[in-house]
Amino acid sequence: MKKDIVIDRVYNILKSVTPIETDCGRLCDCECCKGDNQTGMLLFPGEESRYNNNSNFKIIRSEDNKNIVVCSGKCDRNLRPISCRIFPLIPVVDNNKIYVFDDPRAKGICPLLYDQMALDRKFEKSVYKAGKMLLKNKETKAFLLQLTEEITQVLSLQQIFM
């Protein structure tokens, strides 16, 4: 399946779901939306073109050569990239199957994780469906596999230091 179609479908899957029923940004003063020139949200393959000509977003290259989008801290929810739409969860791949976990990079940032708040089940299911959709394109699948490897390394390090 073409990358743009996969991205459109992922956006549609995640369009109307949020981690909790209320605005979670009120809990942390929108901490996850406060990127700078060094931090932001990863863009999945095919998302770059959606942000190139939008003055509310800035694309930067990370040290490991990935595209990251940074915003002003407030945006139209319909324009958010996948990483923002799935936060604080992450779909990971194991043997071509999707599993959804708390994103270890969100710990310490997102009170939904460190306060052990229950996430909306519909949100969790949508992140799972989005992960399955990302497997339908070779570039988005490769990106998700690479992300899975990185997340697995972070989880292993956390277990060592806990």
Side-chain angles (χ1 to χ4, degrees):
M1 188 178 293
K2 288 186 177 183
K3 173 174 53 178
D4 290 338
I5 293 170
V6 166
I7 298 300
D8 286 342
R9 289 188 179 172
V10 168
Y11 279 23
N12 193 46
I13 290 167
L14 299 167
K15 184 176 184 174
S16 61
V17 294
T18 57
I20 59 175
E21 288 186 17
T22 61
D23 181 0
C24 59
R26 291 182 178 172
L27 298 173
C28 63
D29 192 29
C30 300
E31 193 64 33
C32 60
C33 296
K34 295 180 178 172
D36 58 28
N37 285 339
Q38 302 302 314
T39 60
M41 297 303 252
L42 285 174
L43 290 176
F44 280 73
E47 286 191 290
E48 305 87 8
S49 63
R50 297 165 192 252
Y51 300 98
N52 279 335
N53 297 318
N54 188 323
S55 61
N56 294 321
F57 297 94
K58 178 180 170 185
I59 297 176
I60 57 174
R61 296 294 278 180
S62 67
E63 290 177 7
D64 56 353
N65 211 28
K66 290 184 180 137
N67 286 324
I68 295 176
V69 69
V70 177
C71 72
S72 63
K74 298 224 182 269
C75 69
D76 178 342
R77 292 186 65 79
N78 294 316
L79 300 178
R80 295 173 301 147
I82 293 170
S83 291
C84 293
R85 294 171 192 241
I86 63 175
F87 193 85
L89 300 178
I90 188 74
V92 297
V93 184
D94 184 35
N95 291 322
N96 275 334
K97 291 185 180 177
I98 292 291
Y99 299 90
V100 176
F101 293 102
D102 293 347
D103 190 332
R105 299 165 302 173
K107 293 191 180 196
I109 297 172
C110 182
L112 299 178
L113 298 183
Y114 57 80
D115 286 346
Q116 297 301 310
M117 297 179 74
L119 297 180
D120 186 311
R121 189 78 178 118
K122 185 177 177 186
F123 173 71
E124 292 177 5
K125 286 180 180 180
S126 295
V127 173
Y128 171 79
K129 288 177 186 175
K132 282 184 72 167
M133 181 57 63
L134 290 166
L135 293 179
K136 294 187 180 213
N137 172 270
K138 68 177 184 174
E139 286 180 70
T140 56
K141 179 179 180 178
F143 186 83
L144 195 54
L145 286 166
Q146 181 183 5
L147 196 55
T148 294
E149 186 176 318
E150 292 169 13
I151 294 300
T152 303
Q153 289 173 359
V154 171
L155 288 172
S156 295
L157 285 173
Q158 285 181 349
Q159 290 171 352
I160 290 169
F161 292 109
M162 293 185 117

